[in-house]
PDB file of all heavy atoms in Angstrom:
ATOM      1  N   GLY A1479     190.638 158.487 160.904  1.00  0.00           N
ATOM      2  CA  GLY A1479     191.168 157.222 161.288  1.00  0.00           C
ATOM      3  C   GLY A1479     190.203 156.383 162.123  1.00  0.00           C
ATOM      4  O   GLY A1479     190.613 155.482 162.860  1.00  0.00           O
ATOM      5  N   GLU A1480     188.918 156.650 161.994  1.00  0.00           N
ATOM      6  CA  GLU A1480     187.909 155.957 162.749  1.00  0.00           C
ATOM      7  C   GLU A1480     186.848 155.319 161.844  1.00  0.00           C
ATOM      8  O   GLU A1480     186.625 155.780 160.715  1.00  0.00           O
ATOM      9  CB  GLU A1480     187.174 156.903 163.691  1.00  0.00           C
ATOM     10  CG  GLU A1480     188.031 157.479 164.796  1.00  0.00           C
ATOM     11  CD  GLU A1480     187.258 158.355 165.698  1.00  0.00           C
ATOM     12  OE1 GLU A1480     186.379 159.132 165.251  1.00  0.00           O
ATOM     13  OE2 GLU A1480     187.470 158.270 166.912  1.00  0.00           O
ATOM     14  N   TRP A1481     186.146 154.303 162.371  1.00  0.00           N
ATOM     15  CA  TRP A1481     184.972 153.771 161.731  1.00  0.00           C
ATOM     16  C   TRP A1481     183.803 154.604 162.198  1.00  0.00           C
ATOM     17  O   TRP A1481     183.724 155.012 163.366  1.00  0.00           O
ATOM     18  CB  TRP A1481     184.786 152.321 162.114  1.00  0.00           C
ATOM     19  CG  TRP A1481     185.696 151.435 161.347  1.00  0.00           C
ATOM     20  CD1 TRP A1481     186.986 151.102 161.686  1.00  0.00           C
ATOM     21  CD2 TRP A1481     185.455 150.843 160.101  1.00  0.00           C
ATOM     22  NE1 TRP A1481     187.510 150.286 160.721  1.00  0.00           N
ATOM     23  CE2 TRP A1481     186.604 150.114 159.713  1.00  0.00           C
ATOM     24  CE3 TRP A1481     184.359 150.829 159.188  1.00  0.00           C
ATOM     25  CZ2 TRP A1481     186.700 149.411 158.525  1.00  0.00           C
ATOM     26  CZ3 TRP A1481     184.433 150.111 158.020  1.00  0.00           C
ATOM     27  CH2 TRP A1481     185.589 149.406 157.707  1.00  0.00           C
ATOM     28  N   LYS A1482     182.890 154.909 161.266  1.00  0.00           N
ATOM     29  CA  LYS A1482     181.699 155.697 161.619  1.00  0.00           C
ATOM     30  C   LYS A1482     180.451 154.968 161.098  1.00  0.00           C
ATOM     31  O   LYS A1482     180.522 154.081 160.246  1.00  0.00           O
ATOM     32  CB  LYS A1482     181.772 157.084 160.956  1.00  0.00           C
ATOM     33  CG  LYS A1482     182.907 157.893 161.510  1.00  0.00           C
ATOM     34  CD  LYS A1482     182.902 159.306 160.951  1.00  0.00           C
ATOM     35  CE  LYS A1482     184.013 160.128 161.618  1.00  0.00           C
ATOM     36  NZ  LYS A1482     183.954 161.506 161.211  1.00  0.00           N
ATOM     37  N   ALA A1483     179.287 155.349 161.675  1.00  0.00           N
ATOM     38  CA  ALA A1483     178.038 154.717 161.260  1.00  0.00           C
ATOM     39  C   ALA A1483     176.976 155.760 161.296  1.00  0.00           C
ATOM     40  O   ALA A1483     176.975 156.705 162.076  1.00  0.00           O
ATOM     41  CB  ALA A1483     177.693 153.586 162.242  1.00  0.00           C
ATOM     42  N   ARG A1484     176.000 155.589 160.372  1.00  0.00           N
ATOM     43  CA  ARG A1484     174.807 156.414 160.288  1.00  0.00           C
ATOM     44  C   ARG A1484     173.614 155.562 159.980  1.00  0.00           C
ATOM     45  O   ARG A1484     173.767 154.365 159.664  1.00  0.00           O
ATOM     46  CB  ARG A1484     174.973 157.512 159.252  1.00  0.00           C
ATOM     47  CG  ARG A1484     174.997 157.014 157.849  1.00  0.00           C
ATOM     48  CD  ARG A1484     175.143 158.128 156.872  1.00  0.00           C
ATOM     49  NE  ARG A1484     175.208 157.654 155.474  1.00  0.00           N
ATOM     50  CZ  ARG A1484     175.271 158.404 154.462  1.00  0.00           C
ATOM     51  NH1 ARG A1484     175.296 159.721 154.582  1.00  0.00           N
ATOM     52  NH2 ARG A1484     175.329 157.922 153.227  1.00  0.00           N
ATOM     53  N   VAL A1485     172.442 156.128 160.038  1.00  0.00           N
ATOM     54  CA  VAL A1485     171.236 155.376 159.653  1.00  0.00           C
ATOM     55  C   VAL A1485     170.581 156.052 158.451  1.00  0.00           C
ATOM     56  O   VAL A1485     170.645 157.251 158.260  1.00  0.00           O
ATOM     57  CB  VAL A1485     170.220 155.247 160.834  1.00  0.00           C
ATOM     58  CG1 VAL A1485     170.775 154.351 161.914  1.00  0.00           C
ATOM     59  CG2 VAL A1485     169.884 156.608 161.397  1.00  0.00           C
ATOM     60  N   ARG A1486     170.041 155.207 157.595  1.00  0.00           N
ATOM     61  CA  ARG A1486     169.337 155.646 156.405  1.00  0.00           C
ATOM     62  C   ARG A1486     167.892 155.178 156.555  1.00  0.00           C
ATOM     63  O   ARG A1486     167.610 154.063 156.886  1.00  0.00           O
ATOM     64  CB  ARG A1486     169.945 155.025 155.147  1.00  0.00           C
ATOM     65  CG  ARG A1486     171.378 155.529 154.924  1.00  0.00           C
ATOM     66  CD  ARG A1486     172.126 154.788 153.874  1.00  0.00           C
ATOM     67  NE  ARG A1486     171.470 154.876 152.579  1.00  0.00           N
ATOM     68  CZ  ARG A1486     171.732 155.784 151.636  1.00  0.00           C
ATOM     69  NH1 ARG A1486     172.637 156.726 151.889  1.00  0.00           N
ATOM     70  NH2 ARG A1486     171.103 155.787 150.499  1.00  0.00           N
ATOM     71  N   PHE A1487     166.972 156.119 156.283  1.00  0.00           N
ATOM     72  CA  PHE A1487     165.537 155.871 156.397  1.00  0.00           C
ATOM     73  C   PHE A1487     164.954 155.734 154.955  1.00  0.00           C
ATOM     74  O   PHE A1487     164.979 156.647 154.163  1.00  0.00           O
ATOM     75  CB  PHE A1487     164.835 157.012 157.111  1.00  0.00           C
ATOM     76  CG  PHE A1487     165.263 157.153 158.531  1.00  0.00           C
ATOM     77  CD1 PHE A1487     166.386 157.937 158.878  1.00  0.00           C
ATOM     78  CD2 PHE A1487     164.559 156.471 159.532  1.00  0.00           C
ATOM     79  CE1 PHE A1487     166.759 158.043 160.188  1.00  0.00           C
ATOM     80  CE2 PHE A1487     164.964 156.630 160.858  1.00  0.00           C
ATOM     81  CZ  PHE A1487     166.065 157.379 161.188  1.00  0.00           C
ATOM     82  N   VAL A1488     164.495 154.523 154.630  1.00  0.00           N
ATOM     83  CA  VAL A1488     163.905 154.212 153.320  1.00  0.00           C
ATOM     84  C   VAL A1488     162.380 154.338 153.472  1.00  0.00           C
ATOM     85  O   VAL A1488     161.773 153.465 154.170  1.00  0.00           O
ATOM     86  CB  VAL A1488     164.318 152.803 152.888  1.00  0.00           C
ATOM     87  CG1 VAL A1488     163.738 152.517 151.449  1.00  0.00           C
ATOM     88  CG2 VAL A1488     165.832 152.657 152.899  1.00  0.00           C
ATOM     89  N   PRO A1489     161.771 155.343 152.853  1.00  0.00           N
ATOM     90  CA  PRO A1489     160.288 155.471 153.047  1.00  0.00           C
ATOM     91  C   PRO A1489     159.528 154.354 152.420  1.00  0.00           C
ATOM     92  O   PRO A1489     159.763 154.005 151.213  1.00  0.00           O
ATOM     93  CB  PRO A1489     159.986 156.856 152.387  1.00  0.00           C
ATOM     94  CG  PRO A1489     161.168 157.101 151.482  1.00  0.00           C
ATOM     95  CD  PRO A1489     162.342 156.350 152.017  1.00  0.00           C
ATOM     96  N   LEU A1490     158.587 153.751 153.139  1.00  0.00           N
ATOM     97  CA  LEU A1490     157.748 152.702 152.662  1.00  0.00           C
ATOM     98  C   LEU A1490     156.414 153.243 152.103  1.00  0.00           C
ATOM     99  O   LEU A1490     155.761 152.593 151.330  1.00  0.00           O
ATOM    100  CB  LEU A1490     157.441 151.688 153.740  1.00  0.00           C
ATOM    101  CG  LEU A1490     158.677 150.924 154.281  1.00  0.00           C
ATOM    102  CD1 LEU A1490     158.223 150.014 155.390  1.00  0.00           C
ATOM    103  CD2 LEU A1490     159.327 150.152 153.178  1.00  0.00           C
ATOM    104  N   ASP A1491     156.067 154.441 152.527  1.00  0.00           N
ATOM    105  CA  ASP A1491     154.763 155.030 152.169  1.00  0.00           C
ATOM    106  C   ASP A1491     154.834 156.079 151.081  1.00  0.00           C
ATOM    107  O   ASP A1491     153.864 156.728 150.808  1.00  0.00           O
ATOM    108  CB  ASP A1491     154.110 155.606 153.425  1.00  0.00           C
ATOM    109  CG  ASP A1491     154.984 156.627 154.109  1.00  0.00           C
ATOM    110  OD1 ASP A1491     156.047 156.961 153.601  1.00  0.00           O
ATOM    111  OD2 ASP A1491     154.613 157.074 155.221  1.00  0.00           O
ATOM    112  N   ARG A1492     155.997 156.218 150.486  1.00  0.00           N
ATOM    113  CA  ARG A1492     156.196 157.196 149.405  1.00  0.00           C
ATOM    114  C   ARG A1492     155.905 158.670 149.777  1.00  0.00           C
ATOM    115  O   ARG A1492     155.534 159.439 148.980  1.00  0.00           O
ATOM    116  CB  ARG A1492     155.404 156.791 148.189  1.00  0.00           C
ATOM    117  CG  ARG A1492     155.817 155.438 147.630  1.00  0.00           C
ATOM    118  CD  ARG A1492     154.973 155.101 146.397  1.00  0.00           C
ATOM    119  NE  ARG A1492     155.290 153.735 146.034  1.00  0.00           N
ATOM    120  CZ  ARG A1492     155.480 153.369 144.788  1.00  0.00           C
ATOM    121  NH1 ARG A1492     155.384 154.189 143.815  1.00  0.00           N
ATOM    122  NH2 ARG A1492     155.727 152.081 144.544  1.00  0.00           N
ATOM    123  N   SER A1493     156.025 158.927 151.054  1.00  0.00           N
ATOM    124  CA  SER A1493     155.779 160.310 151.504  1.00  0.00           C
ATOM    125  C   SER A1493     156.956 161.238 151.270  1.00  0.00           C
ATOM    126  O   SER A1493     156.880 162.432 151.382  1.00  0.00           O
ATOM    127  CB  SER A1493     155.430 160.299 152.991  1.00  0.00           C
ATOM    128  OG  SER A1493     156.499 159.755 153.769  1.00  0.00           O
ATOM    129  N   LEU A1494     158.128 160.654 150.908  1.00  0.00           N
ATOM    130  CA  LEU A1494     159.311 161.412 150.611  1.00  0.00           C
ATOM    131  C   LEU A1494     159.816 160.967 149.253  1.00  0.00           C
ATOM    132  O   LEU A1494     159.605 159.801 148.837  1.00  0.00           O
ATOM    133  CB  LEU A1494     160.403 161.200 151.657  1.00  0.00           C
ATOM    134  CG  LEU A1494     160.130 161.748 153.058  1.00  0.00           C
ATOM    135  CD1 LEU A1494     161.164 161.261 154.030  1.00  0.00           C
ATOM    136  CD2 LEU A1494     160.026 163.225 153.036  1.00  0.00           C
ATOM    137  N   PRO A1495     160.552 161.871 148.544  1.00  0.00           N
ATOM    138  CA  PRO A1495     160.999 161.464 147.184  1.00  0.00           C
ATOM    139  C   PRO A1495     162.077 160.424 147.169  1.00  0.00           C
ATOM    140  O   PRO A1495     162.335 159.834 146.120  1.00  0.00           O
ATOM    141  CB  PRO A1495     161.493 162.785 146.606  1.00  0.00           C
ATOM    142  CG  PRO A1495     161.736 163.671 147.769  1.00  0.00           C
ATOM    143  CD  PRO A1495     160.806 163.229 148.817  1.00  0.00           C
ATOM    144  N   GLY A1496     162.732 160.147 148.274  1.00  0.00           N
ATOM    145  CA  GLY A1496     163.808 159.143 148.286  1.00  0.00           C
ATOM    146  C   GLY A1496     164.312 158.864 149.692  1.00  0.00           C
ATOM    147  O   GLY A1496     163.714 159.267 150.670  1.00  0.00           O
ATOM    148  N   VAL A1497     165.403 158.213 149.748  1.00  0.00           N
ATOM    149  CA  VAL A1497     166.046 157.798 151.055  1.00  0.00           C
ATOM    150  C   VAL A1497     166.658 159.057 151.685  1.00  0.00           C
ATOM    151  O   VAL A1497     167.229 159.894 151.014  1.00  0.00           O
ATOM    152  CB  VAL A1497     167.136 156.770 150.778  1.00  0.00           C
ATOM    153  CG1 VAL A1497     167.844 156.387 152.046  1.00  0.00           C
ATOM    154  CG2 VAL A1497     166.529 155.529 150.140  1.00  0.00           C
ATOM    155  N   ILE A1498     166.528 159.117 152.992  1.00  0.00           N
ATOM    156  CA  ILE A1498     167.153 160.202 153.755  1.00  0.00           C
ATOM    157  C   ILE A1498     168.152 159.556 154.776  1.00  0.00           C
ATOM    158  O   ILE A1498     167.970 158.415 155.184  1.00  0.00           O
ATOM    159  CB  ILE A1498     166.140 161.102 154.490  1.00  0.00           C
ATOM    160  CG1 ILE A1498     165.240 160.289 155.408  1.00  0.00           C
ATOM    161  CG2 ILE A1498     165.307 161.904 153.495  1.00  0.00           C
ATOM    162  CD1 ILE A1498     164.278 161.089 156.280  1.00  0.00           C
ATOM    163  N   ALA A1499     169.192 160.262 155.089  1.00  0.00           N
ATOM    164  CA  ALA A1499     170.240 159.715 155.970  1.00  0.00           C
ATOM    165  C   ALA A1499     170.624 160.717 157.062  1.00  0.00           C
ATOM    166  O   ALA A1499     170.586 161.924 156.852  1.00  0.00           O
ATOM    167  CB  ALA A1499     171.483 159.359 155.157  1.00  0.00           C
ATOM    168  N   SER A1500     170.999 160.155 158.195  1.00  0.00           N
ATOM    169  CA  SER A1500     171.448 160.988 159.309  1.00  0.00           C
ATOM    170  C   SER A1500     172.940 161.278 159.133  1.00  0.00           C
ATOM    171  O   SER A1500     173.619 160.727 158.271  1.00  0.00           O
ATOM    172  CB  SER A1500     171.257 160.214 160.602  1.00  0.00           C
ATOM    173  OG  SER A1500     172.181 159.126 160.694  1.00  0.00           O
ATOM    174  N   GLU A1501     173.430 162.127 159.991  1.00  0.00           N
ATOM    175  CA  GLU A1501     174.894 162.371 160.100  1.00  0.00           C
ATOM    176  C   GLU A1501     175.452 161.140 160.815  1.00  0.00           C
ATOM    177  O   GLU A1501     174.731 160.293 161.308  1.00  0.00           O
ATOM    178  CB  GLU A1501     175.153 163.661 160.909  1.00  0.00           C
ATOM    179  CG  GLU A1501     174.631 164.889 160.249  1.00  0.00           C
ATOM    180  CD  GLU A1501     175.426 165.258 158.998  1.00  0.00           C
ATOM    181  OE1 GLU A1501     176.636 164.987 158.984  1.00  0.00           O
ATOM    182  OE2 GLU A1501     174.813 165.758 158.047  1.00  0.00           O
ATOM    183  N   ALA A1502     176.762 161.107 160.953  1.00  0.00           N
ATOM    184  CA  ALA A1502     177.419 159.976 161.666  1.00  0.00           C
ATOM    185  C   ALA A1502     176.913 159.990 163.109  1.00  0.00           C
ATOM    186  O   ALA A1502     176.963 160.986 163.831  1.00  0.00           O
ATOM    187  CB  ALA A1502     178.877 160.124 161.627  1.00  0.00           C
ATOM    188  N   LEU A1503     176.359 158.834 163.526  1.00  0.00           N
ATOM    189  CA  LEU A1503     175.845 158.709 164.902  1.00  0.00           C
ATOM    190  C   LEU A1503     176.846 158.082 165.856  1.00  0.00           C
ATOM    191  O   LEU A1503     176.891 158.350 167.024  1.00  0.00           O
ATOM    192  CB  LEU A1503     174.579 157.793 164.928  1.00  0.00           C
ATOM    193  CG  LEU A1503     173.373 158.260 164.161  1.00  0.00           C
ATOM    194  CD1 LEU A1503     172.298 157.178 164.252  1.00  0.00           C
ATOM    195  CD2 LEU A1503     172.889 159.556 164.716  1.00  0.00           C
ATOM    196  N   LEU A1504     177.652 157.184 165.301  1.00  0.00           N
ATOM    197  CA  LEU A1504     178.582 156.394 166.097  1.00  0.00           C
ATOM    198  C   LEU A1504     179.990 156.482 165.488  1.00  0.00           C
ATOM    199  O   LEU A1504     180.139 156.653 164.274  1.00  0.00           O
ATOM    200  CB  LEU A1504     178.161 154.935 166.132  1.00  0.00           C
ATOM    201  CG  LEU A1504     176.736 154.646 166.617  1.00  0.00           C
ATOM    202  CD1 LEU A1504     176.345 153.206 166.218  1.00  0.00           C
ATOM    203  CD2 LEU A1504     176.629 154.850 168.065  1.00  0.00           C
ATOM    204  N   HIS A1505     180.978 156.349 166.316  1.00  0.00           N
ATOM    205  CA  HIS A1505     182.358 156.279 165.827  1.00  0.00           C
ATOM    206  C   HIS A1505     183.221 155.508 166.809  1.00  0.00           C
ATOM    207  O   HIS A1505     182.955 155.507 168.013  1.00  0.00           O
ATOM    208  CB  HIS A1505     182.941 157.669 165.584  1.00  0.00           C
ATOM    209  CG  HIS A1505     182.940 158.568 166.771  1.00  0.00           C
ATOM    210  ND1 HIS A1505     184.005 158.567 167.674  1.00  0.00           N
ATOM    211  CD2 HIS A1505     182.025 159.420 167.230  1.00  0.00           C
ATOM    212  CE1 HIS A1505     183.712 159.448 168.609  1.00  0.00           C
ATOM    213  NE2 HIS A1505     182.496 159.978 168.407  1.00  0.00           N
ATOM    214  N   ALA A1506     184.192 154.769 166.260  1.00  0.00           N
ATOM    215  CA  ALA A1506     185.066 153.949 167.104  1.00  0.00           C
ATOM    216  C   ALA A1506     186.293 153.638 166.280  1.00  0.00           C
ATOM    217  O   ALA A1506     186.329 153.746 165.069  1.00  0.00           O
ATOM    218  CB  ALA A1506     184.354 152.671 167.571  1.00  0.00           C
ATOM    219  N   ARG A1507     187.315 153.165 166.966  1.00  0.00           N
ATOM    220  CA  ARG A1507     188.581 152.788 166.277  1.00  0.00           C
ATOM    221  C   ARG A1507     188.412 151.461 165.501  1.00  0.00           C
ATOM    222  O   ARG A1507     189.052 151.237 164.506  1.00  0.00           O
ATOM    223  CB  ARG A1507     189.720 152.680 167.275  1.00  0.00           C
ATOM    224  CG  ARG A1507     190.165 153.989 167.840  1.00  0.00           C
ATOM    225  CD  ARG A1507     191.044 154.693 166.855  1.00  0.00           C
ATOM    226  NE  ARG A1507     191.401 156.007 167.349  1.00  0.00           N
ATOM    227  CZ  ARG A1507     191.810 156.945 166.601  1.00  0.00           C
ATOM    228  NH1 ARG A1507     191.914 156.786 165.304  1.00  0.00           N
ATOM    229  NH2 ARG A1507     192.107 158.089 167.113  1.00  0.00           N
ATOM    230  N   ARG A1508     187.537 150.560 166.046  1.00  0.00           N
ATOM    231  CA  ARG A1508     187.402 149.243 165.437  1.00  0.00           C
ATOM    232  C   ARG A1508     186.027 149.060 164.821  1.00  0.00           C
ATOM    233  O   ARG A1508     185.034 149.522 165.318  1.00  0.00           O
ATOM    234  CB  ARG A1508     187.597 148.181 166.489  1.00  0.00           C
ATOM    235  CG  ARG A1508     189.016 148.198 167.079  1.00  0.00           C
ATOM    236  CD  ARG A1508     189.241 147.155 168.114  1.00  0.00           C
ATOM    237  NE  ARG A1508     188.693 145.840 167.646  1.00  0.00           N
ATOM    238  CZ  ARG A1508     188.704 144.776 168.419  1.00  0.00           C
ATOM    239  NH1 ARG A1508     189.265 144.832 169.619  1.00  0.00           N
ATOM    240  NH2 ARG A1508     188.190 143.683 167.990  1.00  0.00           N
ATOM    241  N   ARG A1509     186.043 148.423 163.652  1.00  0.00           N
ATOM    242  CA  ARG A1509     184.803 148.217 162.906  1.00  0.00           C
ATOM    243  C   ARG A1509     183.763 147.408 163.671  1.00  0.00           C
ATOM    244  O   ARG A1509     182.576 147.762 163.700  1.00  0.00           O
ATOM    245  CB  ARG A1509     185.172 147.509 161.574  1.00  0.00           C
ATOM    246  CG  ARG A1509     183.994 147.168 160.753  1.00  0.00           C
ATOM    247  CD  ARG A1509     184.487 146.452 159.511  1.00  0.00           C
ATOM    248  NE  ARG A1509     183.362 145.953 158.739  1.00  0.00           N
ATOM    249  CZ  ARG A1509     183.466 145.216 157.645  1.00  0.00           C
ATOM    250  NH1 ARG A1509     184.672 144.908 157.230  1.00  0.00           N
ATOM    251  NH2 ARG A1509     182.444 144.777 157.064  1.00  0.00           N
ATOM    252  N   ASP A1510     184.205 146.359 164.339  1.00  0.00           N
ATOM    253  CA  ASP A1510     183.262 145.495 165.058  1.00  0.00           C
ATOM    254  C   ASP A1510     182.557 146.250 166.179  1.00  0.00           C
ATOM    255  O   ASP A1510     181.404 145.973 166.511  1.00  0.00           O
ATOM    256  CB  ASP A1510     183.896 144.201 165.545  1.00  0.00           C
ATOM    257  CG  ASP A1510     185.054 144.441 166.508  1.00  0.00           C
ATOM    258  OD1 ASP A1510     185.674 145.503 166.463  1.00  0.00           O
ATOM    259  OD2 ASP A1510     185.362 143.497 167.313  1.00  0.00           O
TER     260      ASP A1510
END
């Protein structure tokens, strides 16, 4: 019943095969 947020790291140098993402870093009852 909460809004959650995570960060996605898009490699610019092609050192990784694709995008990597964190687990949920933030959570709150309201989206804003």
Side-chain angles (χ1 to χ4, degrees):
E1480 294 182 321
W1481 282 88
K1482 294 186 178 185
R1484 67 178 178 178
V1485 291
R1486 296 171 58 92
F1487 295 89
V1488 181
L1490 297 177
D1491 55 6
R1492 298 181 187 222
S1493 61
L1494 293 171
V1497 177
I1498 56 175
S1500 71
E1501 295 292 325
L1503 297 177
L1504 306 165
H1505 57 89
R1507 290 280 177 203
R1508 295 180 46 182
R1509 177 180 173 185
D1510 61 335

